[in-house]
Amino acid sequence: MRELAHSLIRYRLVPTNTTNTSNKPVRVRFAPSPTGDLHVGNIRTALFDWAYARHTGGQFIFRIEDTDRERVTDEYIKAAQDTLKWLGLDWDEGPEVGGPYGPYLQSQRLDIYEEWAAKFLVQGDAYHCYCSSEELEARREAQKAANVAPGYDGKCRSISEGDLAKYKSEGRLPVLRMRMPDGSTTFTDSIRGDVTFDHNFVPDFVLVRGDGSPLYTLAVAVDDIMMKVTHVLRGEDLLSSTPRQIRVYQAMGVVESDYPTFAHLPFVMGQDNAKLSKRNGEVSIAWYRERGFLPEAICNYLALLGWSPGDDRENVTMKELTELFTVERVHSSPARFDMKKLEAINGDKIRELAIDELLKRTVPFLIKDSVITGTPAELEVVKSALPIIQERIATLAEVSQMLKFLFVAKFEVEAEELPKIKDEQSQIVLKKADEILNALSNWEHEAIHEALKKALIEELGLKPRIAFSALRIAVTGSHISPPLFESLELLGRERSLERIAASIN
RNA sequence: GGCCCCGUCGUCUAGUGGCCUAGGACUCUGGCUUCUCAAGCCAGCUACGCGGGUUCGAAUCCCGUCGGGGCUACCA
């Protein structure tokens, strides 16, 4: 009977657009399984989820899928929250903030899953399966060899009394398996259109482990329904798990109009066209944070991976993103992650920062790199130096290299640069500069520039790039530095003259 | 192997039958500017995977093909 009832379960979800045709308030969830630091792909998903929720004025729900307690740790859960906060992806319901449909950690919802599982068993939608992993493995191998679709063969759909007694006496613990009826499932993916899965290729799947713990397939479906989620935007790796999820809705007795709308986001790939992973690029958001990438730059860049506003604009703020984001404009094809473009956008965002804001953001890097300790006097110097390096850096971490010459206790010219100031011509320049600057009373960069230009360019007849290069190295230690005259002013008269003198043979 | 998804410059993308001799951005190359490095400005290179069809006309529609990816767990 039950089988019959499910024999024709084709259905279709109403096509959805971002204006949310249904009158239900939009509820979008980001539900990662933190088995490590959140990575670029997770964040791109989170960003789209968040942007969609904000765009529609709906709720953004943050749920932790920690049914696999072997791989998910408390540190990773904590790190995931920190990362989202750092990026500015604030959630309306979830860990810390709570909400009406909590708890939001699946490990705290075990009794809920247990209840539904029991119901499914009673209803006959699910059944106990006593097959051991070894047996399943063996049968899978056989299926593969026989070239038939692999998957559970339904052996335990009906078990004889005798077999049941035998399994129990052996102490076997059954898993709970969902009965997949004949037929097919079709759903409308907002990004991909109609997608159909023939149930011949969707085998009966496990809902509850032998030890009684729930699996993703059960928890995710139950939670999305119980939390009244209206839109599921997630990675395309979950596309083929959708018919299973829908099967659980059916067992739960949910009416079709209450199913969430699915949208499967394309992957973020690494350089080598494989899914982005540790092997082919940096994936951990924490890594980008340490490297001096701005959260708004990361979000801006990631927003452009698989989505575009439609016109030629590429620089969008978080606010603009929430205004412009629609699921219709999300691509269906995967995108490759390009560090170079991220860096370019990061540089642009740095240049947009007000000096006080830039100061606030760079100080932790300078302290971490032991360039400064953070005294008010140091901060003053950094602040006055930032305007001249702001357009020269692509990441915040670069400020240390740029400004350390202003703070080092014991200054030394970089070893490889030394020969460049020891030649005859450089020595002439340095001696002349020493003489001129010692006589200079006004130590402002314009005055310094004027004096040096007159002495070195006009009187000695040198090309500017030649003349100033030696001086640059002598004073900053490197042939790459912030503008020379401003650097001299910032360094101060005393230390500048000291360094020039020290560079003279 | 089976099922499913995907296919425009090197990369991200615009493009939904004529506005496309395919636009923008990043990268790269050359130039300008310049005290180095950047930034900025200008210029250049490079793409509709392939083959059929439909049509007066196709990057856009259809079919096939090739290629890439995902899933195929008591992971998510």
Side-chain angles (χ1 to χ4, degrees):
Chain A
M1 266 263 275
R2 185 74 50 185
E3 294 287 334
L4 207 61
H6 285 298
S7 65
L8 264 168
I9 65 157
R10 289 189 61 103
Y11 72 89
R12 173 170 302 224
L13 282 147
V14 283
T16 309
N17 59 38
T18 43
T19 48
N20 186 33
T21 47
S22 83
N23 44 23
K24 278 183 293 184
V26 167
R27 294 174 58 77
V28 202
R29 49 63 161 192
F30 171 59
S33 184
T35 56
D37 282 330
L38 248 35
H39 56 79
V40 170
N42 293 140
I43 290 307
R44 208 276 312 264
T45 301
L47 180 67
F48 284 18
D49 283 331
W50 175 87
Y52 184 69
R54 295 291 169 258
H55 177 77
T56 55
Q59 301 290 298
F60 179 49
I61 303 155
F62 181 26
R63 184 175 75 219
I64 304 287
E65 311 236 318
D66 56 347
T67 50
D68 185 355
R69 290 306 300 191
E70 306 234 324
R71 299 199 301 153
V72 177
T73 69
D74 288 342
E75 287 105 290
Y76 288 142
I77 292 174
K78 175 77 169 51
Q81 295 176 39
D82 288 345
T83 298
L84 246 48
K85 277 190 248 179
W86 178 67
L87 290 167
L89 306 181
D90 56 317
W91 56 95
D92 305 304
E93 292 174 29
E96 293 182 21
V97 303
Y101 303 99
Y104 293 88
L105 259 67
Q106 291 188 330
S107 58
Q108 294 171 8
R109 303 171 60 81
L110 267 19
D111 50 333
I112 299 172
Y113 310 131
E114 213 170 288
E115 248 175 70
W116 281 108
K119 188 159 185 275
F120 298 162
L121 182 64
V122 171
Q123 290 174 174
D125 285 309
Y127 59 93
H128 282 310
C129 169
Y130 288 87
C131 299
S132 69
S133 316
E134 295 74 30
E135 290 166 348
L136 293 171
E137 182 61 29
R139 272 185 267 160
R140 256 197 299 276
E141 285 306 315
Q143 286 169 326
K144 231 175 158 182
N147 208 6
V148 296
Y152 189 68
D153 55 11
K155 181 167 186 290
C156 293
R157 279 187 172 199
S158 54
I159 306 177
S160 69
E161 293 291 328
D163 283 345
L164 188 61
K166 177 167 158 275
Y167 291 144
K168 283 188 172 165
S169 71
E170 288 172 10
R172 291 200 189 191
L173 294 172
V175 299
L176 187 70
R177 220 176 254 284
M178 182 62 94
R179 195 185 300 266
M180 213 56 205
D182 292 339
S184 66
T185 299
T186 297
F187 60 95
T188 302
D189 185 290
S190 302
I191 295 169
R192 286 152 216 281
D194 284 0
V195 183
T196 299
F197 287 88
D198 187 321
H199 291 4
N200 287 323
F201 308 106
V202 186
D204 291 358
F205 55 98
V206 177
L207 296 167
V208 182
R209 292 187 180 88
D211 67 4
S213 60
L215 250 30
Y216 166 79
T217 28
L218 172 64
V220 71
V222 166
D223 285 349
D224 285 341
I225 294 301
M226 307 274 294
M227 293 179 179
K228 301 211 177 341
V229 169
T230 59
H231 293 77
V232 174
L233 318 205
R234 49 152 44 160
E236 71 164 291
D237 49 334
L238 268 357
L239 183 64
S240 54
S241 85
T242 306
R244 297 201 294 266
Q245 202 163 325
I246 287 170
R247 177 70 186 90
V248 177
Y249 300 159
Q250 291 165 343
M252 289 175 80
V254 178
V255 297
E256 217 175 287
S257 56
D258 284 340
Y259 293 175
T261 299
F262 292 92
H264 289 92
L265 273 20
F267 283 123
V268 177
M269 320 283 269
Q271 302 297 343
D272 58 359
N273 204 24
K275 208 175 154 186
L276 193 63
S277 72
K278 277 237 157 42
R279 295 182 61 81
N280 58 20
E282 281 305 328
V283 294
S284 157
I285 293 298
W287 184 88
Y288 291 93
R289 186 177 182 173
E290 286 161 22
R291 271 304 191 77
F293 285 91
L294 270 35
E296 58 267 48
I298 293 173
C299 288
N300 191 154
Y301 174 65
L302 253 27
L304 265 19
L305 245 37
W307 174 84
S308 82
D311 51 22
D312 288 337
R313 67 197 298 183
E314 300 219 312
N315 189 334
V316 292
T317 63
M318 295 296 271
K319 184 167 177 292
E320 288 166 333
L321 177 62
T322 64
E323 286 161 3
L324 298 166
F325 184 83
T326 64
V327 177
E328 286 73 23
R329 294 210 57 84
V330 176
H331 257 235
S332 50
S333 52
R336 233 137 313 202
F337 185 85
D338 181 10
M339 181 76 85
K340 280 282 201 303
K341 182 136 184 176
L342 205 212
E343 283 172 358
I345 289 178
N346 204 57
D348 289 341
K349 296 289 185 187
I350 284 177
R351 267 162 245 130
E352 286 173 10
L353 255 29
I355 291 301
D356 281 330
E357 182 61 25
L358 183 59
L359 177 69
K360 205 174 93 187
R361 303 215 201 186
T362 51
V363 165
F365 287 88
L366 290 164
I367 291 176
K368 195 192 76 185
D369 293 334
S370 304
V371 172
I372 61 172
T373 57
T375 65
E378 287 172 329
L379 263 38
E380 269 311 302
V381 176
V382 173
K383 185 176 175 178
S384 47
L386 284 177
I388 60 171
I389 65 164
Q390 186 168 24
E391 68 185 25
R392 296 182 157 68
I393 54 174
T395 64
L396 297 175
E398 289 168 44
V399 290
S400 295
Q401 173 62 27
M402 284 281 192
L403 296 185
K404 70 178 184 202
F405 77 95
L406 291 172
F407 298 99
V408 285
K410 189 168 172 293
F411 176 78
E412 268 177 11
V413 172
E414 288 173 17
E416 64 270 27
E417 306 278 20
L418 220 42
K420 296 180 197 160
I421 58 169
K422 290 304 178 189
D423 61 291
E424 199 181 333
Q425 192 175 48
S426 295
Q427 286 296 312
I428 293 171
V429 167
L430 292 167
K431 279 173 192 157
K432 184 76 177 175
D434 182 50
E435 179 195 327
I436 295 298
L437 294 177
N438 260 302
L440 191 67
S441 54
N442 179 356
W443 201 260
E444 282 170 359
H445 66 91
E446 296 94 343
I448 298 170
H449 190 175
E450 271 312 305
L452 288 172
K453 197 169 118 189
K454 186 155 178 282
L456 302 176
I457 313 302
E458 289 164 21
E459 289 176 24
L460 292 182
L462 294 167
K463 283 199 186 306
R465 62 189 309 138
I466 305 289
F468 297 139
S469 173
L471 204 48
R472 178 189 312 284
I473 294 169
V475 173
T476 70
S478 168
H479 77 282
I480 297 173
S481 82
L484 179 59
F485 313 111
E486 285 84 346
S487 295
L488 284 164
E489 181 184 330
L490 286 165
L491 232 203
R493 182 191 176 89
E494 194 183 332
R495 284 191 295 168
S496 298
L497 293 175
E498 239 170 55
R499 290 181 190 183
I500 294 167
S503 67
I504 295 169
N505 290 335

